[in-house]
Amino acid sequence: MNRKNLLLSFAVLSGLCALPLAAQTLTSSPDVPAADGIVETGEYTWKTEQKDAALSLSLSADGTTIYAALEAPETGWAAVGLGTRGMNGAFMVLGSDDGGKTEISEQTGKGFSHKPNAEKILQSEAVKENGGKTVLEFSVPAAKFIKNGKLDVIAAWSKKDSFSSKHTKHISLSVPVQTK
């Protein structure tokens, strides 16, 4: 086999090996992640790493609670949105840790912006900056966000702590969900 064919075979096999990770399904778990601003190995049942960030999710054993964590590669704000693959209409949780002064806000995406929610639904929350990263963790009722066997999620982060500053990078995805 020549070098060109060998490289092509390696690329195809690498792509096939990555397929199960991309299609990973969020399932329920008896383990409850701690909202403490620290994501431990194995704490969440579903994880993706994109654009130097890590998004982790878990679903409670009874399927009623979503646990989310974003490890953002910046020391500004971090945000996770649920319910859509874009900002408009998404329920968003924004968090920042500015030298130990933490702030977490529940917001709704409006066009390419967002505004504070009147209704508060967070069940747990934490944000912590450490080692050049901002970690946001929270939990919310699942029923509002899991639709047709999937959970639409967005995540974004910024170099600045002000929630009105534009994000540095963002990700958007649909996560297959298996409920009992």
Side-chain angles (χ1 to χ4, degrees), residues 14-99:
S14 296
L16 289 174
C17 290
L19 281 177
L21 295 176
Q24 184 181 4
T25 300
L26 176 61
T27 59
S28 58
S29 170
D31 299 326
V32 177
D36 56 7
I38 301 167
V39 177
E40 301 286 344
T41 301
E43 184 176 12
Y44 290 84
T45 59
W46 184 98
K47 182 177 183 177
T48 185
E49 294 183 20
Q50 298 181 28
K51 300 181 182 178
D52 297 324
L55 176 66
S56 301
L57 301 166
S58 279
L59 186 62
S60 63
D62 62 5
T64 62
T65 304
I66 296 169
Y67 303 93
L70 175 63
E71 297 172 272
E74 301 288 356
T75 57
W77 59 258
V80 175
L82 303 173
T84 69
R85 291 194 58 196
M87 279 182 65
N88 194 38
F91 167 79
M92 300 166 58
V93 179
L94 291 86
S96 72
D97 179 352
D98 188 6

Side-chain angles (χ1 to χ4, degrees), residues 19-180:
L19 281 177
L21 295 176
Q24 184 181 4
T25 300
L26 176 61
T27 59
S28 58
S29 170
D31 299 326
V32 177
D36 56 7
I38 301 167
V39 177
E40 301 286 344
T41 301
E43 184 176 12
Y44 290 84
T45 59
W46 184 98
K47 182 177 183 177
T48 185
E49 294 183 20
Q50 298 181 28
K51 300 181 182 178
D52 297 324
L55 176 66
S56 301
L57 301 166
S58 279
L59 186 62
S60 63
D62 62 5
T64 62
T65 304
I66 296 169
Y67 303 93
L70 175 63
E71 297 172 272
E74 301 288 356
T75 57
W77 59 258
V80 175
L82 303 173
T84 69
R85 291 194 58 196
M87 279 182 65
N88 194 38
F91 167 79
M92 300 166 58
V93 179
L94 291 86
S96 72
D97 179 352
D98 188 6
K101 180 182 175 221
T102 62
E103 182 179 5
I104 294 180
S105 179
E106 296 176 58
Q107 304 207 3
T108 298
K110 184 170 170 76
F112 292 104
S113 187
H114 44 86
K115 62 180 181 170
N117 288 339
E119 178 187 15
K120 304 296 182 194
I121 64 169
L122 285 177
Q123 297 172 332
S124 65
E125 61 188 66
V127 64
K128 185 180 284 188
E129 189 178 291
N130 190 10
K133 293 183 178 185
T134 301
V135 177
L136 172 67
E137 291 185 286
F138 65 89
S139 64
V140 293
K144 293 181 87 161
F145 307 110
I146 297 173
K147 304 291 182 204
N148 301 317
K150 67 178 181 158
L151 173 65
D152 289 333
V153 184
I154 58 173
W157 51 94
S158 175
K159 294 178 181 183
K160 299 179 180 178
D161 287 306
S162 170
F163 293 158
S164 62
S165 64
K166 185 168 172 49
H167 56 65
T168 305
K169 291 185 180 177
H170 69 280
I171 57 177
S172 171
L173 58 146
S174 285
V175 179
V177 178
Q178 180 181 352
T179 55
K180 292 182 179 182

